[in-house]
C-alpha cells in the first residue's frame, strides 16, 4: 500500500522480499468482507471433511446396517446414527461426508480442464484476432446456444454416465463461457502499453499471451472460477439426481436425494440432509466469489 | 439498425444450421443403431435392414440430412418411439404446459427481482443493500432440486398444504403449479436481483448521477429519470437470457414434480433413447435460446442510444 | 471590491476522508473568500485537496468524506448546517459545477435538451415551453453553432468540445452566483481548450458570475483568474492576485513550481528545469511544521519543522498577497539562478533516420446500409499522408499535434507494429517501413525503443520491476549470467535515480513518476540508438514531470541517443527539441528547427497552436487566435488542405479542393500551405517574450530587478 520511497543507499545489493507476506496480505484483505469469510469457511469445512473422510470414525458408507433410522438413533453396535440412516440402512452422515469428497474431486477436475481449454481458446481469440477469433467465437456461440442441462443430457446420453464423461460434458458446457470472459479481458489488456512494449521487443505471441496478458487477467478469473466451481457442483449433483451422473453405489449427493424423495413422507431427513449439504457448499462458493469481487473492486 | 438485425438473423440461422447438422450427425450416423432403437433390442438384423430401406435410410447421408431438415421445418419430427405418436403432437402440448410455468415465473420474477435489485443498488453498502444481497446469494445458491426437496419437506410432508406431484392427472390445478414455480422463482429471483443490483450500483456511482444531484433536481427524479433508464439496460439482457437457463431448470423441476412439460419430455426421451424426441426437443430449445439472444441483442441496441445508429 | 458581501466564504475549513486506514485529513484550515464577479484560481498538484474543496462547497463528499471543522458561508448562510432540501435549492440554481470529463458528466441516454431544461424546470416556476426557449438561448450564448441539433442530440453525438459547452450551458442556465470549474479543459485538445477558456473568461463579464477555477495548469489560471490560491498537501501555501503572485512568488513551493514549468525562457542546455526534490507526502504522513520543509531548499532545522506555519501577509506587495512560510522575508528568490545549472549541448551527429514520403492508410469497412447500397463499403483512413523528415544522432526531434494527427500511427510503423503503405523509413540504409517487428533482426529491434505515455499502463502489474528490465537485457544482449544481468539492472536503476531495492517491487507500489523512470530504464536497457518518447510526462504532475524530463535529457546526453519526442504540448517541445514536425490529420503542416517553428513565417495551424498553449508567465504577450469548429474526423477529412475547415487565413476554394504544396521557407524549414510564402512572412510573431532587461518578475525569467517586498 505505502508509496513512500525511502531512498536506500544506491550501492547496496538488496534481497528479495519473502512471498509469504504477500499471501498474508491477500488473506488479510478477505477478512474485511464478512460475506467472503463466511463463504471461505463453508468451503474449508467441506474440503476438510473430504480430506479427513478416511480418518473420521464413520460407518462404512456402503454397508446396510438398519434402514430408516431417525437422526440420533442408536446403532446396533452401540454407536449413534447422528443423521439417521437411509432406506437401505446406510449411515447418512458417512454418506454425506464421503459424498463431499466425490463431488469436490470431480468438480475441481472438471473445472480445471474446462479452464485450461477455455483460457487457451480465449487467449487465442482475443490476442490473435482475425480468423482465429471468428472461428473460436462462432464455435462458442454454437455451444452456448444449448441450454446447459440439455447439453449435459445429450452428451451423457451419447457417451454414457461416468466420471470421465462428466469432465467432458462440463468442459463442453463451461469452456465457451470461460473463453468469452478470457477473450474480453485479453481484448482490454492487449491495448496496454506494456503489451505494446513487449511487441516492440519482438516477443512471440505465446510469450505475450502467457507472460504479459494472462497473469493480469487472474483477478476476474479467480472470481469466475469460484462461481464456476459452484455451478459444476450443481451440475454434477443434478446429473446424479437425474440418474445420469456417477454410477451408484458410491455415495453421491444428487443420487442420495433422488433415492430419498419417493420415501420423503416418512424419512424426510434422508433427502433434507444431502440437500442442505449441497446448498451449503454452493453457498460457500458463491459467497467467496462475492467477497473476492468486492475486495478486488475496492483497490 | 436494419443491417444489424439482418446480420444477427443470419448468424442465428447459421447457428441453427450447425446445431441441426451436429444433432443429426450425432444421432443418425449409425443407421443400424437407429433401427435398433426404433424396433427394439430384440429385432433381428434383417428386420432392421428392411426398416432402414423402407424409411429411406440408405440414401446418402447429406441427402438424408436435407430431407430431415425439410421435414423439421414443416413441423414433422417423425414418430416418437416411446409414445408411438407424432413427435410434433406431444411436443406442442408439452411446450404449452411449460409455457404456463414460464409465464407464471416471469410474471412474478420480473417485478420482484427488479424492485429488490434497484432498492439494493440505490445505496450501496447500506443495511438494506446488505440484507437484499445476502438473501439473493442464499436463494441462488440452492440448486433447483435441493430447494424442491426442502420445500416439499416443509409444505408437502410436514404441513401437508400442497400436493407433492404436479402431474395434473385430474385436470388443471393451480395448487399443483405453486411448488414448481416457487422452486424456479427462488433461484432466478436472486440471480436477476443480483444483476440488477450490480447495474444499479454502477450507475449510482457514475458522474452523470453526480451531475444530476448537483443540478439540484429532486432525488426521486434523479432515480426515476436518470438512474433507472441506464440501470435497466443490463437486466433486460439478463432477463431475456433467463429463457435459456429456464430450459435447463425445467428439466429438473418437471422431473421432480412429474409435471408434464417440455423438460420431462426431453428427460424421458433421453433415458429411453427416443432419438426423434431428443432431436426435436433440442432443436426447439436451441431455437428458443438463439431467438431470445437475438431479441436481447436487438433490444439492447434499442435501449442504449450510445450504440444506436 | 471588498465592500461587497462575499458570495462564498470558507473559514477554517477542514475535510477528512474515512478509510480502512483511519481518518485521512484531505484539507486543513482552508480560508477563502469569493466576491461577486470574481474568478478565483485553485492550483496545485494532484492530491493537494483542490477538488475536495470543490466537492465540499457543493456539500457532496460521498459516504466516506466529511467536514471536520470550519464553516462554508454562502451569501452569509452556513451551508454545513443546511437541510437536504435547502441544499437542493442552492445546487444548480445558485451554485453550479462544471466537470473535468464532459462525456461522463452527461447522462448518455437523455437528449441534451432535456438535460438542460431540467435545471430551470426544477428551480423556477416556468413552463416547459419557456424552459426549452431558455435552454436554446443558452446554447447560443455558449457559441454552439446549431442549437436545435444539439438540443435533440444525445451526448455521444457531440464532440468533446461541444459536450463541455453543453455542460457549461447547463451550469449557467439559472444564472448562478457561483460557478465551480474542476479542470474543465483537461480532457480536451489544445485548440479546443483555447475556445473553452475564452468562453469561460467571457462568462464572468457577461453574467457577472463568481467563479472558482480549479486547475493544475498555472498557465490556464493566469489566463482565466483574478486571484489565485496555491495549494500544497491539503493547505493553501500562498494566495494573491494574479499579477502579484505570478510576478513575485513568495513561497518556495510556488517558486519551485515555476522552476518546473518549461516557460519560453527555459532552455535544456543553458537554463534547464529545476525539479523540486522529493515527493508529495501522503496525507497521513505529513511532516511536522511546514508541510513543504523536507523538499525545500531554504528549510532551516529548528524553525521550519516545529510549529504549523500560519499565513502571513506579504508586506509591501499587492493587497491580500499572503504566504505560509516563516522565512519568506529572508529568502531572496532573485539571487537564485533562473534555471538549473547549465548543461553541455550535444552536437548532432550523422543522419540516423530518414522518413521519405511515408504513407500509412488503413482500410476501414463501412457496414452501414447507405454504404452497402452505394457499393462503397471500403474506405481508406489516411493516418499518415506522405511524411518527410530526418533525425540525426543525438538530436531531439519533436512530433507535435492534437488527437488524430497521426503521430501515434507513425510511431507504430516505425516500431514495426504496422507496415507502411508507401514510401520508406530508413534507419541507416535499411527501409524499416515494410518490416514488421517479427521480421527485424535483434539489432534492428534493440536500436529502437520506446517510452510510453501512461505511467499506469507502462509496466506489467504482475511482474517485479527488476524482471521487466532484465527481460530486455536478456533479449538484446548475449548475457546469460543471472548475476551479471541483475547487476546491470541495478546500474540502470542507479541511472534513473531509483533505489536498488525497487528491483523486487511490484509496479503498484510505485508512484507515477517512479513508474515512468522504470519505463525509461527499460527503454535504455538495450542501448538503443533512437528512443521514441510518446508524451512521456503529460500524465505526471508538474514537479514530477520536470524531474523525469531532466532525467530523459541527461541520459540522452550521456548516450548521444536520438530522441523522437511525441507531444501535444508546445511548451515542452520548445524546451526539449532541436527540430519540430507539426502534424494535423495525418499531414505534416510544417517542419523546421525549433526557432523556425516559433517564428514567422508560420503555417496558419502552427500559428493557432502557438496561440492556444497557455503560458504561465504574465510578461509574455500572446496574440489571441481562437479557432472555430471542431477537429474533423480522421474518417472523413476535408478534401483539400486538412486545416481548411478551421483556418482563419483560408484564401479561397483552392484550400478546400486541392492538397496544399510544400513550400521551403528556409533551408530545412518547410510549410505546407497554399498561401504564398511572402504573405506568410509578413505575419506578426504570436508570442512576444520580453528581454531580460524589460522584465520584473522573479517567477522564472532570468533577471534581478528591484523587488518592492525585499526592499521594505
Amino acid at each position: 500500500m505505502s508509496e513512500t520511497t525511502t531512498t536506500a543507499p544506491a550501492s547496496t545489493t538488496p534481497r528479495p522480499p519473502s512471498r509469504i507476506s504477500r499471501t498474508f496480505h491477500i488473506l488479510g484483505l478477505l477478512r474485511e468482507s464478512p460475506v467472503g469469510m463466511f463463504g471461505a469457511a463453508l468451503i474449508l469445512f467441506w474440503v476438510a471433511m473430504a480430506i479427513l473422510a478416511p480418518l473420521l470414525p464413520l460407518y462404512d458408507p456402503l454397508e446396510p446396517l438398519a434402514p430408516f433410522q431417525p437422526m440420533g438413533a442408536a446403532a446396533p453396535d452401540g454407536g449413534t446414527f447422528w443423521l439417521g440412516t437411509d432406506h437401505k440402512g446406510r449411515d447418512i452422515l458417512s454418506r454425506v461426508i464421503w459424498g463431499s469428497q466425490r463431488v469436490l474431486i470431480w468438480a475441481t477436475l472438471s473445472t480445471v480442464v474446462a479452464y485450461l481449454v477455455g483460457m487457451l481458446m480465449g487467449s487465442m481469440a482475443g490476442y490473435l484476432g482475425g480468423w482465429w477469433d471468428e472461428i473460436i467465437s462462432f464455435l462458442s456461440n454454437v455451444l452456448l446456444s444449448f441450454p446447459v442441462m440439455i447439453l449435459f443430457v445429450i452428451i451423457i446420453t451419447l457417451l454414457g454416465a461416468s466420471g470421465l464423461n462428466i469432465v467432458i460434458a462440463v468442459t463442453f458446457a463451461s469452456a465457451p463461457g470461460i473463453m468469452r470472459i478470457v477473450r474480453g479481458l485479453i481484448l482490454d489488456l492487449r491495448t496496454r502499453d506494456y503489451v505494446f512494449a513487449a511487441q516492440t521487443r519482438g516477443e512471440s505471441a505465446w510469450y505475450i499471451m502467457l507472460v504479459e496478458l494472462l497473469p493480469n487477467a487472474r483477478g476476474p478469473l479467480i472470481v469466475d472460477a469460484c462461481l464456476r466451481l459452484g455451478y459444476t457442483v450443481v451440475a454434477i449433483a443434478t446429473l446424479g439426481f437425474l440418474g445420469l451422473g456417477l454410477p451408484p453405489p458410491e455415495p453421491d449427493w444428487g443420487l442420495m436425494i433422488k433415492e430419498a424423495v419417493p420415501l420423503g413422507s416418512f424419512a424426510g431427513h434422508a433427502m433434507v440432509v444431502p440437500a442442505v449439504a449441497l446448498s451449503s457448499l454452493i453457498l460457500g462458493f458463491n459467497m467467496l466469489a462475492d467477497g473476492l469481487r468486492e475486495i478486488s473492486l475496492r483497490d | 439498425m436494419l443491417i444489424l438485425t439482418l446480420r444477427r438473423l443470419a448468424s442465428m440461422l447459421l447457428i441453427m444450421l450447425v446445431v441441426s447438422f451436429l444433432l443429426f450427425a450425432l444421432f443418425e450416423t449409425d443407421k443400424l443403431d437407429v433401427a435398433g432403437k426404433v424396433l427394439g433390442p430384440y429385432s433381428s438384423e434383417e428386420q432392421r435392414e428392411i426398416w432402414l430401406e423402407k424409411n429411406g435410410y440408405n440414401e446418402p447421408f447429406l441427402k438424408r440430412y436435407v430431407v430431415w431438415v425439410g421435414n423439421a421445418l414443416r413441423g414433422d419430427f417423425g414418430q416418437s418411439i416411446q409414445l408411438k405418436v407424432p413427435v410434433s403432437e406431444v411436443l406442442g402440448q408439452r411446450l404449452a404446459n411449460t409455457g404456463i410455468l414460464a409465464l407464471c415465473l416471469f410474471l412474478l420474477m420480473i417485478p420482484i427481482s427488479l424492485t429488490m435489485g434497484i432498492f439494493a443498488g440505490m445505496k450501496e453498502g447500506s443495511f438494506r443493500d446488505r440484507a437484499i444481497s445476502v438473501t439473493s446469494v442464499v436463494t441462488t445458491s440452492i440448486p433447483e432440486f435441493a430447494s424442491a426437496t426442502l420445500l416439499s419437506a416443509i409444505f408437502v410432508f410436514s404441513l401437508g398444504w400442497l400436493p407433492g406431484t404436479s402431474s395434473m392427472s385430474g385436470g388443471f390445478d393451480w395448487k399443483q403449479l405453486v411448488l414448481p414455480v416457487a422452486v424456479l422463482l427462488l433461484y432466478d429471483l436472486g440471480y436477476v436481483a443480483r444483476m440488477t443490483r450490480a447495474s444499479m450500483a454502477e450507475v449510482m456511482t457514475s458522474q452523470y448521477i453526480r451531475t444530476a444531484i448537483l443540478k439540484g433536481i429532486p432525488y426521486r427524479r434523479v432515480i426515476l429519470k436518470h438512474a433507472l433508464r441506464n440501470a435497466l439496460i443490463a437486466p433486460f439482457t439478463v432477463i431475456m437470457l433467463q429463457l435459456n437457463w429456464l430450459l435447463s431448470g425445467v428439466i429438473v423441476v418437471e422431473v421432480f414434480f412429474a409435471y408434464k412439460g417440455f423438460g420431462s419430455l426431453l428427460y424421458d426421451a433421453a433415458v429411453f433413447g427416443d432419438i426423434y424426441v431428443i432431436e426435436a426437443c433440442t432443436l426447439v430449445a436451441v431455437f428458443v435460446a438463439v431467438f431470445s439472444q437475438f431479441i436481447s441483442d436487438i433490444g439492447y441496441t434499442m435501449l442504449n442510444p450510445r450504440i444506436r445508429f | 471590491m471588498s465592500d461587497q458581501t462575499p458570495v462564498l466564504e470558507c473559514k477554517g475549513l477542514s475535510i477528512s476522508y474515512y478509510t480502512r486506514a483511519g481518518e485521512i485529513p484531505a484539507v486543513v484550515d482552508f480560508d477563502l473568500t469569493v466576491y461577486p464577479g470574481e474568478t478565483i484560481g485553485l492550483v496545485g498538484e494532484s492530491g493537494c485537496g483542490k477538488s475536495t474543496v470543490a466537492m465540499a462547497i457543493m456539500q457532496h463528499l460521498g459516504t466516506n468524506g466529511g467536514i471536520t471543522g470550519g464553516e462554508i458561508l454562502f451569501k452569509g448562510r452556513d451551508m454545513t448546517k443546511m437541510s437536504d432540501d435547502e441544499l437542493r435549492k442552492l445546487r444548480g440554481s445558485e451554485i453550479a459545477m462544471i466537470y473535468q470529463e464532459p462525456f461522463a458528466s452527461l447522462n448518455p441516454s437523455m437528449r441534451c435538451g432535456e438535460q438542460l431544461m431540467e435545471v430551470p424546470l426544477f428551480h423556477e416556476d416556468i413552463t416547459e415551453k419557456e424552459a426549452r426557449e431558455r435552454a436554446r438561448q443558452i446554447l447560443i450564448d455558449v457559441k454552439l453553432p446549431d442549437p436545435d441539433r444539439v438540443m435533440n442530440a444525445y451526448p455521444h453525438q457531440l464532440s468533446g468540445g461541444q459536450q463541455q459547452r453543453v455542460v457549461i450551458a447547463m451550469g449557467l442556465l439559472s444564472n448562478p452566483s457561483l460557478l465551480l470549474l474542476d479542470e474543465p479543459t483537461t480532457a480536451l485538445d489544445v485548440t479546443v481548450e483555447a475556445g473553452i477558456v475564452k468562453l469561460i473568461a467571457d462568462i464572468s463579464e457577461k453574467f457577472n458570475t463568481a467563479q472558482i477555477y480549479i486547475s493544475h495548469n498555472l498557465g490556464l489560471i493566469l489566463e482565466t483568474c483574478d486571484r489565485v490560491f496555491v495549494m500544497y498537501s491539503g493547505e493553501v501555501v500562498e494566495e494573491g492576485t494574479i499579477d502579484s503572485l505570478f510576478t513575485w512568488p513568495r513561497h518556495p513551493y510556488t517558486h519551485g513550481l515555476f522552476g518546473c514549468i518549461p516557460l519560453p525562457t527555459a532552455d535544456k542546455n543553458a537554463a534547464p528545469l529545476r525539479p523540486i526534490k522529493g515527493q508529495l507526502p501522503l496525507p497521513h504522513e505529513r511532516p511536522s511544521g511546514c508541510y513543504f520543509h523536507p523538499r525545500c531548499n531554504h528549510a532551516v532545522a529548528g524553525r521550519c519543522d516545529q510549529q504549523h506555519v500560519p499565513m502571513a501577509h506579504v508586506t509591501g506587495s499587492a493587497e491580500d498577497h499572503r504566504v505560509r512560510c516563516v522565512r519568506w522575508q529572508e529568502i531572496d528568490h532573485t539571487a537564485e539562478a533562473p534555471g538549473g545549472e547549465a548543461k553541455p549541448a550535444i552536437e548532432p551527429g550523422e543522419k540516423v533516420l530518414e522518413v521519405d514520403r511515408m504513407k500509412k492508410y488503413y482500410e476501414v469497412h463501412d457496414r452501414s446500409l447507405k454504404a452497402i447500397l452505394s457499393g462503397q463499403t471500403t474506405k481508406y483512413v489516411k493516418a499518415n499522408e506522405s511524411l518527410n523528415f530526418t533525425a540525426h544522432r543525438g538530436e531531439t526531434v519533436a512530433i507535435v499535434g492534437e488527437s488524430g494527427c497521426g503521430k501515434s500511427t507513425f510511431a507504430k510503423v516505425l516500431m514495426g507494429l504496422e507496415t507502411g503503405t508507401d514510401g520508406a523509413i530508413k534507419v541507416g540504409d535499411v527501409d524499416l517501413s515494410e518490416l514488421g517487428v517479427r521480421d527485424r533482426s535483434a539489432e534492428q529491434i534493440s536500436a529502437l525503443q520506446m517510452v510510453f505515455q501512461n505511467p499506469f499502463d507502462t509496466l506489467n502489474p504482475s511482474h517485479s520491476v527488476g524482471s521487466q528490465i532484465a527481460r530486455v537485457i536478456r533479449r538484446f544482449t548475449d548475457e546469460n549470467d543471472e548475476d551479471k544481468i541483475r547487476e546491470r539492472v541495478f546500474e540502470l536503476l542507479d541511472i534513473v535515480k531509483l533505489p536498488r531495492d525497487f528491483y523486487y517491487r511490484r509496479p503498484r507500489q510505485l508512484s507515477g513518476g517512479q513508474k515512468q523512470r522504470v519505463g525509461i530504464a527499460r527503454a535504455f536497457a538495450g542501448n538503443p540508438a533512437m528512443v521514441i518518447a510518446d508524451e512521456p510526462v503529460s500524465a505526471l504532475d508538474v514537479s514530477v514531470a520536470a524531474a523525469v524530463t531532466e532525467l530523459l535529457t541527461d541520459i540522452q546526453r550521456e548516450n548521444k541517443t536520438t530522441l523522437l519526442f511525441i507531444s501535444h504540448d508546445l511548451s515542452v517541445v520548445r524546451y526539449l527539441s532541436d527540430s519540430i514536425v507539426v502534424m494535423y490529420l495525418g499531414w505534416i503542416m510544417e517542419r523546421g528547427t525549433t526557432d523556425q517553428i516559433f517564428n514567422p513565417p508560420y503555417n496558419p495551424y502552427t500559428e493557432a497552436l502557438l496561440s492556444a498553449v497557455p503560458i504561465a508567465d504574465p510578461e509574455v504577450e500572446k496574440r489571441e487566435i481562437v479557432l472555430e469548429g471542431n477537429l474533423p474526423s480522421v474518417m472523413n477529412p476535408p478534401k483539400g488542405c486538412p486545416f481548411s475547415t478551421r483556418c482563419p487565413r483560408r484564401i479561397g476554394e483552392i484550400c478546400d479542393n486541392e492538397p496544399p504544396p510544400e513550400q521551403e521557407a528556409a533551408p530545412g524549414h518547410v510549410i505546407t500551405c497554399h498561401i504564398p510564402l511572402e504573405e506568410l512572412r509578413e505575419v506578426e510573431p504570436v508570442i512576444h517574450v520580453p528581454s531580460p532587461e524589460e522584465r520584473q518578475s522573479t517567477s522564472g525569467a532570468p533577471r534581478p530587478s528591484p523587488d518592492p517586498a525585499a526592499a521594505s
Side-chain angles (χ1 to χ4, degrees), chain C residues 449-464:
Chain C
Q449 281 298 299
M450 194 152 174
V451 178
F452 298 93
Q453 172 176 16
N454 187 343
F456 300 97
D457 254 18
T458 190
L459 300 181
N460 190 324
S462 295
H463 304 298
S464 72

Side-chain angles (χ1 to χ4, degrees), chain A residues 18-180:
Chain A
S18 72
R19 282 191 158 269
I20 301 167
S21 58
R22 270 175 55 79
T23 320
F24 268 106
H25 177 68
I26 292 166
L27 283 177
L29 282 178
L30 190 60
R31 215 173 48 211
E32 289 179 27
S33 162
V35 171
M37 283 298 282
F38 188 73
L42 281 174
I43 296 172
L44 273 181
F45 170 77
W46 283 115
V47 170
M49 286 296 122
I51 293 173
L52 296 178
L55 304 176
L56 294 172
L58 296 169
Y59 290 105
D60 183 340
L62 303 179
E63 192 190 343
L65 295 165
F68 298 121
Q69 291 300 306
M71 288 192 191
D77 64 352
T80 314
F81 296 123
W82 294 110
L83 297 176
T85 60
D86 66 2
H87 62 289
K88 284 189 179 154
R90 296 170 296 194
D91 180 40
I92 294 180
L93 177 68
S94 168
R95 286 181 70 75
V96 164
I97 289 176
W98 282 100
S100 75
Q101 188 186 59
R102 181 141 133 153
V103 78
L104 278 173
I105 288 174
W106 287 108
T108 313
L109 188 66
S110 319
T111 311
V112 167
V113 173
Y115 250 88
L116 288 178
V117 175
M119 289 207 301
L120 179 72
M121 306 223 305
S123 317
M124 285 170 63
Y127 185 72
L128 300 177
W131 280 107
W132 285 106
D133 189 17
E134 296 277 337
I135 291 170
I136 294 175
S137 292
F138 181 76
L139 285 179
S140 306
N141 283 341
V142 168
L143 284 175
L144 284 171
S145 64
F146 284 91
V148 186
M149 202 38 73
I150 293 181
L151 194 62
F152 278 143
V153 169
I154 290 179
I155 293 175
I156 299 294
T157 314
L158 286 168
L159 301 179
S162 77
L164 179 68
N165 291 346
I166 285 183
V167 174
I168 293 173
V170 168
T171 304
F172 267 100
S174 293
I178 299 167
M179 173 263 156
R180 269 200 189 176

Side-chain angles (χ1 to χ4, degrees), chain B residues 104-125:
Chain B
C104 296
L105 171 70
F106 277 65
L107 282 180
L108 290 168
M109 185 270 288
I110 293 175
I112 303 177
S113 62
L114 290 186
T115 318
M116 276 170 68
I118 286 162
F119 274 102
M122 246 161 77
K123 224 171 175 194
E124 214 182 341

